[in-house]
Amino acid sequence: METVQFDVAIVGAGGAGLRAAIALAQTDPKLRIALISKVYPMRSHTCAAEGGAAGVIKADDSFDMHFDDTVGGGDWLSDQDCVEYFVKEAPKELTQLEHWGCPWNREPDGSVAVRPFGGMKKQRTWFAADKSGFHILHTLFQTTLQFPSITRFDEYFALDLLVDDGRCQGLTAMEMRSGMIKQFSAKAVIICGGGAGRMFPFSTNGAIKTGDGMALAYRAGVPLKDMEFVQYHPTGLPNTGSLLTEACRGEGGVLLNKHGRRYLQDYGMGPETPLGKPQLKTMELGPRDRVSQAYWHEVQKGNTVTTEWGECVLLDMRHLGEKYIDERLPLVRELAIAYLGVDIVKDAVPIRPVVHYMMGGISTNTEAATTLPGLFAAGECACVSLNGANRLGSNSLVELLVFGKSAAMSAIKHLQNLPPANAAALEARAQESQARIRGLFSRTDGTESMSGLRKEMMDTMETHAGIYRTEAGLQEAVDKIAELRHRYQKVVLHDRSNVFNTDLFQVLELGSMLDCASALTVGALARKESRGAHQRLDYVERDDNNFLRHSMVYHQGLDAPRVDYLDVVITRSPPGVRDYSGGHK
Ligand SMILES: Cc1cc2nc3c(=O)[nH]c(=O)nc-3n(C[C@H](O)[C@H](O)[C@H](O)COP(=O)(O)OP(=O)(O)OC[C@H]3O[C@@H](n4cnc5c(N)ncnc54)[C@H](O)[C@@H]3O)c2cc1C
């Protein structure tokens, strides 16, 4: 097996991975950096982000207000030291992006424009039309090109971490076009592998968001934190799951039931606001968990529109007018026409909540370090405990930047004074990893189909671990996922070739998703309360006495995972009431 030597290996070339690579290269030009990604960097999911990125910039805003919105929006499960650091770094990172060439929309006076976003009390979401993620990723990608110390491994699939002497010292990855496995020896590894929304059937997430990064760390003994918190975005297309950004509502779009009523006023998010400019934090700009839950209740009441893709509510933007829509929401117009045949200028669009974002992930501290020395993580795959029980829209793109950079700085610190690596031990680990893959190719007793197992997993997750949950449903989900993990040991690999073996990659991705689904359902069953995106019909109240804690789930092979808890860091905001009725401070 070929071995390549680096100081730091980064898994993932989305926003978090690219930001980490730039910080490493800028801080110490001598570092040898490997940037490994299963897709070409610009195809990472960050590219699909539409609405924008939050950072305090206007005179009427403050770090304290951004802090309060984030902590309250997260239902007090965020670590407050982490949020304090984040809100202060956010504008610096967004300004840095501007200096690297990111074309933020401007106000008529030339200053940076901001738009309202759900759960944010002030306008602080920087945007580039409704293609913010594309512009951010493009800016970062172009910036990485100036650093010769960054070696890219595009279309390499990361397989296993190499752990020896109690620390992470590299990984194995397969070159997808040849099937060759390489050993990456690295003194530190940063995982930036993105989310895992593809465990669910209706998702805004690109097909590559299968939780591989989370599973890499989890299988190496690092706990996954707060995995039970899954964000549904209230406005996805009902057939493809494609996102219609929250900016639709930020710019003044409204949600209607089949009677034409703006039903959010019936769920503590009123009073009804005039059409036109929305009121921050109320009605359509309530937080995502609340708005998604209101949809569920409308379905129960028979107030939804029945379509060929299931029950929907309507997103109406007609009153914004064609000119404004084309300036601010061109992609949304394109998406609705292309996938649903609806022109938002002329008609309201049927939409439904779809899985969008994982609040949980690889447990890290505020320095983006995991419990395994030498292993760091940032971006959606990580749970640094910024987003708590519910992420506010437009905080994630900034999280990538702030904690991508932190991960790089922590990795650099880790490189100082390391003992020499034991090359033979690392090679033995890499051989084990290769043997695991070879085992899939040589298996003759396979009985289970990858797509069959995947469908059963997705159905289970949507039915029992969705917007609302119960004890009985979650128990069924835990049992079913455990069964599927056992049956996965007999999955058949149909394609035994080496060149772009997509069958193999989908089998590996399914393995990652099953591990993530197991942690998620076990965590959800154990959390007997309702908080943020985790809503239980049998425990409807938040229970701060018992559950103002992060869940920490540990992998135990094929056995049931072990759940433990970690206290939430509270610095100055004691748990309070989440009030989106317009009467709050
Ligand atoms: C449609 C959509 C719109 C969004 N809009 C917004 C928004 O407006 N504002 C906001 O703040 N947030 C938004 N979000 C959320 C935000 O975009 C994501 O959370 C964020 O972009 C994730 O970035 P990342 O760098 O962590 O991961 P990604 O950008 O997903 O990148 C993951 C990387 O990991 C690599 N990878 C994964 N597995 C492997 C493997 N096995 N081997 C090698 N490489 C691997 C991939 O190739 C990829 O390069 C949106 C999300 C979606 C889906």
Side-chain angles (χ1 to χ4, degrees), residues 67 73 78 102 110 164 265 318 350 359 418 426 468 493 516 535-536 567 569 572 582:
F67 172 92
S78 311
C102 189
D164 184 51
Q265 60 192 298
R318 288 173 294 180
M359 266 70 75
L418 278 181
L426 287 181
Y468 278 100
L493 189 66
C516 292
Q535 290 292 316
R536 300 228 356 197
D567 284 342
V569 178
R572 57 193 167 95

Side-chain angles (χ1 to χ4, degrees), residues 11-17 36-39 41 44-53 117 132 156-158 192-195 204-206 208-209 212-213 243 245 356-357 378-381 391 393-398 400:
V11 178
I36 300 162
S37 174
K38 68 179 175 180
V39 295
S44 303
H45 189 74
T46 300
C47 194
E50 299 170 16
F117 239 63
S132 308
Y156 272 68
F157 195 104
C192 301
T204 62
N205 286 193
I208 58 171
K209 296 192 75 171
D212 303 354
L243 175 75
T245 169
H356 186 53
Y357 183 87
E380 191 172 340
C381 71
R391 173 181 72 102
S394 73
N395 266 353
S396 170
L397 287 172
V398 191
L400 312 178

